[in-house]
Amino acid sequence: MRIAIVINTSWNIFNFRLSLIKALLAEGHEVIAIAPRDNYSQRLIEAGCKFVPVTMEKGTNPFKDIWLTWRLYRAYSRVKPDVVLHYTIKPNIYGAFAAHFAGIPAINNVSGLGTVFIKKDYISNIALKLYKQAFQYPAKVFFQNQDDRRLFLKHNLVRAGITEVLPGSGIDLQAFTPIPKPDSNAPFTFLMIARVLYEKGVAEYMEACRLLKAKYPTIKCQLLGQVDELSRFGVKQTVLDAWLAEGNVEYLGTTDDVATIIAQANCVVLPSYREGTPRTLLEAAAMAKPLIATNVPGCREVVQQNINGLLCRVRNAPDLAEKMEQMLQMPPEQLQKMGEASRHIAETKFDVNFVIQRYLHAIAEVTTFKKV
């Protein structure tokens, strides 16, 4: 079969869907990656995909984004895939319309709700209406947590019968394995991995680190992730620079080798406002790290209170600082026990092979239905 994977960046396809691509190729399928061209497009080709570039505007402007339906329709009509796999908000909405017009079955994956249910304004209202229209058409819709699925059903955005919950994008348990921290005498290190967006809790993390460093000046607090000023929730570079100038947080920029940086951390932190199933927490869990995250949809699927980490209140820097201090004061044996629990949760709930099998089944199901 010819299977198209459509996401808002080639980077996203390469970093989050490569295991699925390899599995599809191993089954003898042809895989077409459809996304904006970036530094990872060539790497998708090298991995065995065919690549079709499609422009997707950054930022949120539903009036501009309508044209994306036409661009995707043209791509689908030219490529003629047997099935299209959509991920991220724009492909999920505009790709669903395009696949319907092209007569191609689609499988959508709601990997998080973005700002639609976080920031209520005219754009989020338009997005809700677009979701309701677009989600009439996919043959299957995967969600990454039950909260998101329930919210879509509550707003009548999708039919219950075509929905299913997956454990996020899954995690490759061979690529992310426990590695002992090389230097046991190194300072205790907190690490946050996320795009530099307010909705990821970056402001709360900065403030929590400031509070904690005032009491424990020898600890290290790090932030790894891309600045995205075009996002509605993007932190401006000037604001980030001002925070960093205070000297409480070390900014690590971006990397292709996340595992090496996670290995150096004692605890991984994500104070996000809402998630699908956060990949960064899955990576850290697979590497046997204790975790701190907000008690919100997506995060609480990965972090179990006092088992493999601590849950804090959302948009609450003092509470986050308190949980970080609790982690800092735990004896090494307890931290190790939490880390082992993280790995166990990754192995039993989030193995990427489970996600791959569900996709293979869904693809067979929707393409068989098409033939009938």
Side-chain angles (χ1 to χ4, degrees), residues 250-276:
E250 178 188 2
Y251 179 56
L252 304 178
T254 61
T255 182
D256 284 336
D257 187 12
V258 178
T260 298
I261 293 175
I262 293 174
Q264 304 295 324
N266 296 91
C267 173
V268 173
V269 182
L270 184 65
S272 178
Y273 298 173
R274 189 181 187 107
E275 292 285 329

Side-chain angles (χ1 to χ4, degrees), residues 167-217:
S169 54
I171 190 67
D172 185 337
L173 295 166
Q174 277 66 55
F176 292 88
T177 57
I179 302 170
K181 197 177 178 200
D183 184 1
S184 57
N185 296 317
F188 194 100
T189 301
F190 291 100
L191 172 66
M192 177 178 175
I193 309 169
R195 280 192 299 155
V196 186
L197 307 176
Y198 287 104
E199 67 175 324
K200 296 294 182 183
V202 172
E204 289 81 0
Y205 180 66
M206 291 288 178
E207 175 61 11
C209 292
R210 186 188 68 78
L211 293 170
L212 207 59
K213 289 272 283 187
K215 289 179 75 172
Y216 306 95

Side-chain angles (χ1 to χ4, degrees), residues 90-355:
K90 291 185 182 185
N92 273 337
I93 292 174
Y94 305 107
F97 287 127
H100 171 66
F101 297 145
I104 298 163
I107 299 172
N108 282 15
N109 186 308
V110 180
S111 53
L113 300 182
T115 60
V116 173
F117 290 93
I118 295 172
K119 185 175 183 177
K120 298 293 196 305
D121 58 14
Y122 83 97
I123 289 177
S124 62
N125 286 333
I126 291 170
L128 283 173
K129 289 181 172 65
L130 287 169
Y131 266 129
K132 192 162 191 170
Q133 288 296 315
F135 275 48
Q136 299 175 75
Y137 302 126
K140 185 89 177 175
V141 178
F142 285 122
F143 290 88
Q144 296 200 358
N145 62 66
Q146 287 287 2
D147 290 281
D148 287 357
R149 178 180 177 273
R150 279 193 289 265
L151 202 52
F152 266 61
L153 294 176
K154 179 184 167 188
H155 285 81
N156 296 311
L157 302 180
V158 68
R159 302 188 310 282
I162 64 168
T163 65
E164 187 176 334
V165 176
L166 287 178
S169 54
I171 190 67
D172 185 337
L173 295 166
Q174 277 66 55
F176 292 88
T177 57
I179 302 170
K181 197 177 178 200
D183 184 1
S184 57
N185 296 317
F188 194 100
T189 301
F190 291 100
L191 172 66
M192 177 178 175
I193 309 169
R195 280 192 299 155
V196 186
L197 307 176
Y198 287 104
E199 67 175 324
K200 296 294 182 183
V202 172
E204 289 81 0
Y205 180 66
M206 291 288 178
E207 175 61 11
C209 292
R210 186 188 68 78
L211 293 170
L212 207 59
K213 289 272 283 187
K215 289 179 75 172
Y216 306 95
T218 60
I219 65 164
K220 283 175 77 173
C221 296
Q222 299 177 326
L223 172 63
L224 173 69
Q226 186 179 16
V227 174
D228 186 359
E229 293 187 89
L230 291 176
S231 167
R232 291 168 76 203
F233 272 59
V235 175
K236 299 296 182 194
Q237 185 68 54
T238 51
V239 174
L240 177 62
D241 290 342
W243 285 339
L244 298 175
E246 294 176 7
N248 300 310
V249 175
E250 178 188 2
Y251 179 56
L252 304 178
T254 61
T255 182
D256 284 336
D257 187 12
V258 178
T260 298
I261 293 175
I262 293 174
Q264 304 295 324
N266 296 91
C267 173
V268 173
V269 182
L270 184 65
S272 178
Y273 298 173
R274 189 181 187 107
E275 292 285 329
T277 297
R279 175 60 178 254
T280 56
L281 290 184
L282 296 187
E283 292 168 348
M287 294 188 69
K289 296 297 178 183
L291 309 173
I292 298 174
T294 35
N295 188 8
V296 298
C299 292
R300 57 176 169 244
E301 272 66 34
V302 185
V303 182
Q304 297 178 13
Q305 178 71 3
N306 292 321
I307 304 295
N308 71 320
L310 301 172
L311 292 167
C312 66
R313 292 197 290 274
V314 68
R315 303 181 194 238
N316 191 319
D319 191 56
L320 173 59
E322 187 180 309
K323 299 305 186 295
M324 290 167 72
E325 185 172 13
Q326 280 182 40
M327 194 68 75
L328 181 62
Q329 292 178 337
M330 281 182 192
E333 309 79 51
Q334 192 175 352
L335 289 172
Q336 185 174 339
K337 198 173 174 183
M338 276 192 167
E340 288 167 358
S342 274
R343 176 69 186 185
H344 178 72
I345 289 167
E347 289 173 343
T348 54
K349 286 182 66 179
F350 296 104
D351 187 339
V352 71
N353 291 310
F354 172 74
V355 177

